[in-house]
């Protein structure tokens, strides 16, 4: 198979903990959640509601919408931001996979959940996403709703092998949401996802991911992309928010962080990622991560 940068990135993020619940509510309501270091996602089945986050324009959700909140901000969701609050303690006593019913339900039905990431590079990678990733109602979003329903069914009724199925479903849900986001953000700039949505730039990113230890030059990457050196350099920087060689160095250090955390010797990591010596690798690692490989491994 060819290189798949999005899969590479998600493997480093390693979704670990997750939980999903349903909400069926009637009348005037709001749900207030504090900031947490998780990726949140919500899908609305029927009705409509608002979503309010600090520093972000209000979002109005309609039936069929799916929204991903990758930065873990505190939020208010409901009919209006100052509506009567749902008791969180009561809400979270509902078992994962079940649906909590308030005020006899009927007006607004939806599903919500979270992923906790454990990969060493998760923070850096998630910052490449906007604070709100909204995928509107349609054939693509309906596939996300199916995945959420299937995941909730596994959580609600434990069966042999259910834990493994739930883990795969949760990761598939996240992959599918990000894949749809990439497909709909070709005009946005400033992140590696925007560069990945550009077919010519994607060739260079795929090559860097497939062979991170190669001695890549700007000329070689431009040739792979079918562009001039200057044209490639400018287009990559505009789309990705950083030069191609800087992206390569940062990607190498993400891989290095993951391998060092797994206990792979520094000398092997340095060789695999194209550095001629441990000292050269150590200098690059300190420049990008702010600490030495040895200190990182100890931490």
């Amino acid at each position: 198979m060819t290189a798949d940068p999005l899969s590479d990135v998600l493997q480093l993020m390693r979704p670990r903990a997750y939980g999903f619940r349903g909400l069926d509510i009637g009348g005037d309501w709001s749900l207030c959640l504090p900031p947490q270091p998780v990726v949140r996602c919500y899908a609305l089945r029927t009705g409509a509601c608002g979503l309010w986050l600090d520093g972000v324009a209000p979002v109005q959700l309609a039936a069929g919408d799916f929204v991903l909140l990758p930065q873990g901000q505190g939020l208010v969701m409901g009919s209006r931001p100052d509506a009567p609050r749902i008791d969180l303690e009561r809400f979270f006593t509902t078992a994962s996979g079940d649906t909590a019913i308030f005020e006899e339900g009927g007006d607004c039905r939806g599903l919500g959940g979270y992923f906790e990431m454990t990969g060493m590079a998760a923070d850096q990678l998630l910052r490449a996403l906007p604070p709100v990733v909204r995928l509107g109602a349609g054939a693509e979003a309906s596939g996300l709703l199916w995945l959420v329903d299937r995941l909730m069914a596994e959580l609600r009724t434990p069966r042999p092998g259910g834990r493994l199925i739930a883990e795969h479903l949760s990761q598939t849900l996240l992959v599918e949401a990000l894949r749809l986001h990439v497909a709909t953000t070709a005009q946005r700039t400033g992140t590696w996802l925007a560069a990945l949505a550009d077919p010519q730039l994607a060739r260079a990113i795929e090559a860097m991911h497939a062979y991170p230890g190669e001695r890549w030059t700007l000329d070689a990457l431009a040739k792979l992309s079918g562009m001039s050196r200057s044209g490639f350099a400018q287009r990559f920087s505009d789309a990705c928010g950083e030069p191609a060689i800087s992206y390569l160095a940062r990607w190498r250090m993400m891989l290095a962080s993951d391998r060092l955390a797994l206990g792979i010797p520094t000398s092997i990591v340095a060789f695999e990622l194209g550095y001629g010596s441990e000292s050269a690798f150590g200098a690059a690692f300190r420049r990008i991560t702010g600490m030495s490989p040895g200190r990182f491994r100890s931490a």
Side-chain angles (χ1 to χ4, degrees):
M1 294 181 66
T2 58
D4 182 354
L6 184 56
S7 292
D8 295 340
V9 165
L10 287 166
Q11 285 176 342
L12 288 187
M13 290 168 68
R14 291 198 178 90
R16 181 185 64 181
Y18 50 84
F20 281 81
R21 289 174 175 82
L23 178 65
D24 185 357
I25 192 165
D28 206 17
W29 64 282
S30 68
L31 183 65
C32 181
L33 296 175
Q36 285 182 290
V38 297
V39 176
R40 291 176 166 134
C41 64
Y42 301 98
L44 202 61
R45 281 291 191 198
T46 62
C49 71
L51 181 63
W52 296 270
L53 300 90
D54 291 339
V56 179
V59 178
Q60 291 298 316
L61 300 179
D65 280 352
F66 182 94
V67 63
L68 199 67
L69 308 176
Q71 297 170 14
Q73 312 101 307
L75 63 88
V76 175
M77 177 183 288
S79 54
R80 53 188 174 88
D82 57 348
R85 296 285 165 88
I86 292 175
D87 182 353
L88 283 182
E89 185 174 345
R90 180 185 165 195
F91 177 67
F92 283 112
T93 56
T94 304
S96 187
D98 283 341
T99 297
I101 300 175
F102 291 87
E103 303 298 330
E104 299 184 355
D107 290 341
C108 185
R109 292 175 53 245
L111 311 166
Y114 72 92
F115 304 96
E116 181 183 349
M117 304 300 179
T118 61
M120 306 304 293
D123 288 344
Q124 297 180 60
L125 298 170
L126 289 174
R127 280 197 294 268
L129 293 167
V132 178
V133 175
R134 181 181 181 182
L135 301 167
E140 295 84 0
S142 66
L144 295 173
L145 293 176
W146 181 88
L147 284 167
V148 174
D149 283 341
R150 186 73 176 83
L151 176 57
M152 286 188 65
E154 288 295 333
L155 296 174
R156 186 168 53 248
T157 309
R159 290 176 291 174
R163 180 178 60 81
L164 184 60
I165 290 176
E167 288 176 358
H168 284 299
L169 285 169
S170 65
Q171 190 158 21
T172 300
L173 175 64
L174 186 58
V175 172
E176 186 64 16
L178 292 179
R179 184 161 61 181
L180 291 173
H181 172 65
V182 169
T184 57
T185 55
Q187 302 306 314
R188 298 184 185 179
T189 59
T191 73
W192 61 271
L193 285 175
L196 195 60
D198 183 317
Q200 287 181 281
L201 298 182
R203 293 177 206 158
I205 295 176
E206 289 166 0
M208 288 186 275
H209 279 245
Y211 305 102
E214 185 76 20
R215 295 184 181 276
W216 291 111
T217 64
L218 204 55
D219 286 326
L221 293 170
K223 185 176 181 180
L224 275 174
S225 300
M227 302 171 65
S228 69
R229 184 180 188 277
S230 60
F232 170 79
Q234 186 64 53
R235 189 155 147 187
F236 194 101
S237 293
D238 289 345
C240 196
E242 64 181 330
I245 299 304
S246 295
Y247 175 88
L248 173 62
R250 188 167 57 85
W251 173 241
R252 284 172 170 171
M253 293 310 110
M254 290 181 187
L255 292 173
S257 298
D258 192 63
R259 294 174 187 182
L260 290 171
L262 292 173
I264 298 174
T266 304
S267 59
I268 295 177
V269 175
F271 175 77
E272 289 179 344
L273 295 180
Y275 292 90
S277 66
E278 283 191 56
S279 60
F281 167 72
F285 193 90
R286 278 191 298 273
R287 184 179 69 252
I288 293 172
T289 68
M291 65 179 74
S292 69
R295 182 182 169 197
F296 174 85
R297 194 193 297 277
S298 298

